[in-house]
Amino acid sequence: MAAIEKALDQEAECSDVLHNISACRGAMDALMAEVIEGHIRFHILSPDGGATADQARAADDLITALRAYLK
């Protein structure tokens, strides 16, 4: 984010600003996926491994779909 602000303040080329925005968005999407995956695994499923095989499979399917969506 700081690089984007700096580029804007310095009136950098549009392509440079867009590249920085794209990189930031990718990083934020990856972080979002990690946080949501952790939430599913540790707050929706039982953190002690007490989930059924069907529940664990459903959670894995959801996480896979989430990661594909955020790419």
Side-chain angles (χ1 to χ4, degrees):
M1 295 297 296
I4 295 169
E5 184 177 8
K6 181 179 177 182
L8 291 171
D9 286 345
Q10 294 177 352
E11 298 182 9
E13 292 291 323
C14 292
S15 62
D16 293 336
V17 174
L18 291 170
H19 180 75
N20 285 338
I21 291 170
S22 178
C24 186
R25 179 179 177 204
M28 295 299 282
D29 285 350
L31 177 60
M32 174 77 78
E34 291 294 322
V35 170
I36 292 174
E37 179 178 350
H39 184 76
I40 291 168
R41 295 200 187 278
F42 298 108
H43 296 287
I44 296 174
L45 293 177
S46 178
D48 62 3
T52 67
D54 286 341
Q55 290 170 325
R57 190 171 31 259
D60 287 340
D61 290 347
L62 177 59
I63 290 165
T64 299
L66 170 72
R67 288 190 178 278
Y69 177 76
L70 291 176
K71 281 188 176 182

